[in-house]
Amino acid sequence: MPPLIPPAARPALPRRSQGTAPVRQRRALISLAEARRIALAAQGFGEPRRDDNDKRRLQRLIDRLGVVQIDSVNVLTRAHTLPPFSRLGAYARADLDALAYGGHKRRLFEYWGHEASLLPVALQPMLRWRMARAGRGEGIYKELATFAHERRDLIDDVRREIAERGPLKASELSHQHKGDGGWWGWSDGKRALEWLFWTGEVTTHTRHDTFERAYDLSERVLPPAVVAAPTPREDDAQRHLVRVAAGALGIASERCLRDYFRLPVADTKLRIAELLEAGELLLTSVEPGFAVAYLARDARLPRRLAAQALLAPFDPLIWQRQRAEVLFGARIRLELYTPRAKRTHGYYVLPFLLGDRIVARVDLKADRAHALLRVEAAHREPTAPLSLVDPLAAELRLMAAWLGLERISVRPAGDLARALARALGR
């Protein structure tokens, strides 16, 4: 296994895949087609899928991505389980749980990376500056900062209770003060836990079947080597996070690099300038799209790339919507919280990546009671060929099998639904 704490220098790069070459020199201009291939290769797409995915391969992928977003919606499967499926194909979700919640041998931990996220434990020291700022009331919800200032006594009581009785769910705390209707109805005990989580004093010990967190003191959850690791300077830590983001994105704008770990604007600009000076980032532009872009020094440019994947709504490839629209020509918007009548593509919509383009979108739901994968709607991108139907049907069959669902149904919604139903034999 790789060391828990990487050296301060840039992390080791993944082994070069066949048919790729490093982009070694400053490039004045990169074509949109080249930028797409660079971005997809950096994210782990286009590599052969295997039937023997193991925990080590899964860990290497998440180390490469640097962060995987968590979301509580479970209409298909939990959001953090989908990015590995998109890249590796079928893998054991129990392996992901073991990496995230497997005692002191865990290799991932939960914190605010890109929203609520799973991150490699080696990045925990690189996020302590964010925890320290949260302790000063910076970079967190205003209401939470006010609460921490006014209810320090309660927060101390909750921390003591976790120390004495943990791991505990918020509902198991002695402090059962009812929420006041704001703050999503949180109890004061839950607010205290969230503040302690932001400041890094507690973290997630495990997740229950309902996806509710059980909290414990961070020093009892994280591997001892991580707990004992020195805290880097703030600028060193931020520079490392920008370096990780650049490696995971391949090519990106300043906004994209900042968004990956939700870094502050001014800090990100300084860190980018420093990495440019060091030669770890190369200044370039993507035509059309980004007049100014940053290329990871060791980014790979495949001559061709044959990806085939259903992308989670929270997949890191498409987090930054402007970048996704420039690279793939697809305007992607979350519609989970849009009223049904105003949705364009559906509720839980997964874009379908084929080759190096997004060619379709499917609204999916797992009907576990009937062992059924429901395609609630299927839409083709305006310029996509109808030949996409068979690869999409194959990907849906793979997903259904991975989720333990025996059948696939297609509702007659969307311009691709009829052809997809025929391809699936429905």
Side-chain angles (χ1 to χ4, degrees):
M1 278 191 170
L4 287 173
I5 303 301
R10 59 189 172 88
L13 293 157
R15 185 179 299 171
R16 188 170 117 189
S17 58
Q18 187 174 5
T20 69
V23 184
R24 294 187 183 278
Q25 59 190 11
R26 180 188 180 98
R27 295 285 296 272
L29 179 66
I30 290 180
S31 72
L32 200 53
E34 288 176 323
R36 274 197 299 272
R37 298 200 301 275
I38 291 169
L40 289 167
Q43 281 278 304
F45 288 101
E47 298 181 5
R49 286 174 168 174
R50 292 170 15 190
D51 295 328
D52 61 342
N53 290 309
D54 59 14
K55 197 184 298 183
R56 287 175 298 180
R57 193 162 189 240
L58 179 61
Q59 177 67 56
R60 286 195 299 270
L61 172 66
I62 299 177
D63 286 344
R64 180 182 197 161
L65 297 178
V67 57
V68 176
Q69 187 173 341
I70 297 170
D71 187 79
S72 61
V73 175
N74 195 28
V75 67
L76 179 65
T77 184
R78 299 292 184 193
H80 62 284
T81 69
L82 284 168
F85 171 77
S86 298
R87 292 152 178 81
L88 302 178
Y91 73 96
R93 284 175 289 169
D95 284 346
L96 184 56
D97 285 341
L99 289 172
Y101 309 114
H104 279 166
K105 293 183 179 181
R106 74 183 66 211
R107 305 294 293 187
L108 307 174
F109 78 108
E110 288 192 21
Y111 190 59
W112 295 100
H114 180 95
E115 301 294 336
S117 304
L118 282 173
L119 306 108
V121 292
L123 288 185
Q124 196 272 349
M126 306 299 169
L127 289 160
R128 290 177 189 166
W129 63 271
R130 177 169 288 168
M131 298 169 186
R133 287 190 184 186
R136 299 192 297 268
E138 302 170 14
I140 62 176
Y141 307 124
K142 181 180 178 181
E143 295 87 348
L144 190 56
T146 301
F147 173 82
H149 177 73
E150 295 176 349
R151 298 303 311 273
R152 186 68 231 191
D153 56 337
L154 175 61
I155 290 171
D156 291 343
D157 286 346
V158 168
R159 193 188 189 287
R160 277 193 293 271
E161 187 169 0
I162 292 290
E164 293 169 2
R165 298 179 54 221
L168 296 175
K169 298 182 290 185
S171 59
E172 294 173 328
L173 290 172
S174 302
H175 308 279
Q176 290 301 304
H177 306 287
K178 292 183 179 180
D180 56 9
W183 282 54
W184 309 286
W186 281 358
S187 69
D188 283 351
K190 171 64 173 174
R191 298 181 197 195
L193 282 171
E194 286 301 311
W195 189 84
L196 290 166
F197 183 85
W198 264 106
T199 61
E201 295 180 60
V202 304
T203 191
T204 306
H205 175 271
T206 193
R207 289 269 187 174
H208 292 273
D209 291 341
T210 59
F211 210 53
E212 186 178 4
R213 281 184 184 133
Y215 299 84
D216 203 353
L217 299 181
S218 295
E219 60 262 33
R220 296 201 300 223
V221 171
L222 296 171
V226 173
V227 176
T231 299
R233 291 187 342 183
E234 191 170 282
D235 59 338
D236 288 337
Q238 292 174 349
R239 196 160 39 249
H240 186 82
L241 293 175
V242 174
R243 188 182 292 124
V244 172
L249 292 169
I251 188 167
S253 67
E254 179 272 326
R255 183 178 178 183
C256 299
L257 291 172
R258 168 166 43 92
D259 184 66
Y260 206 76
F261 287 104
R262 296 292 168 87
L263 300 173
V265 176
D267 292 335
T268 304
K269 290 181 177 179
L270 288 172
R271 305 295 85 85
I272 288 174
E274 292 158 359
L275 291 172
L276 280 170
E277 180 68 22
E280 294 190 54
L281 292 180
L282 304 177
L283 187 62
T284 186
S285 60
V286 177
E287 184 64 38
F290 294 111
V292 176
Y294 302 97
L295 181 70
R297 179 178 59 190
D298 296 288
R300 304 293 172 179
L301 174 56
R303 289 191 292 269
R304 64 184 64 84
L305 195 145
Q308 180 173 305
L310 288 162
L311 303 174
F314 304 101
D315 194 287
L317 180 68
I318 54 174
W319 272 338
Q320 218 295 314
R321 305 308 185 190
Q322 180 193 11
R323 180 175 187 264
E325 191 165 348
V326 167
L327 290 181
F328 302 107
R331 188 176 186 272
I332 297 170
R333 297 292 183 271
L334 287 178
E335 297 185 294
L336 279 74
Y337 309 109
T338 302
R340 181 187 295 270
K342 295 184 178 181
R343 292 175 193 150
T344 302
H345 296 101
Y347 177 71
Y348 202 77
V349 178
L350 279 69
F352 179 52
L353 176 70
L354 185 63
D356 65 352
R357 304 304 296 265
I358 289 174
V359 296
R361 309 187 207 200
V362 284
D363 180 15
L364 299 182
K365 179 179 181 179
D367 183 346
R368 298 172 184 87
H370 298 94
L372 184 65
L373 178 62
R374 297 189 181 275
V375 182
E376 300 288 281
H379 293 85
R380 180 169 63 102
E381 292 300 298
T383 61
L386 277 173
S387 58
L388 70 90
V389 171
D390 287 340
L392 175 56
E395 201 66 17
L396 288 168
R397 290 190 186 100
L398 180 65
M399 174 172 278
W402 175 61
L403 295 176
L405 305 174
E406 299 170 0
R407 296 175 294 125
I408 304 172
S409 69
V410 182
R411 288 186 66 246
D415 59 1
L416 196 59
R418 182 176 297 179
L420 182 58
R422 285 198 300 268
L424 288 165
R426 299 291 183 267

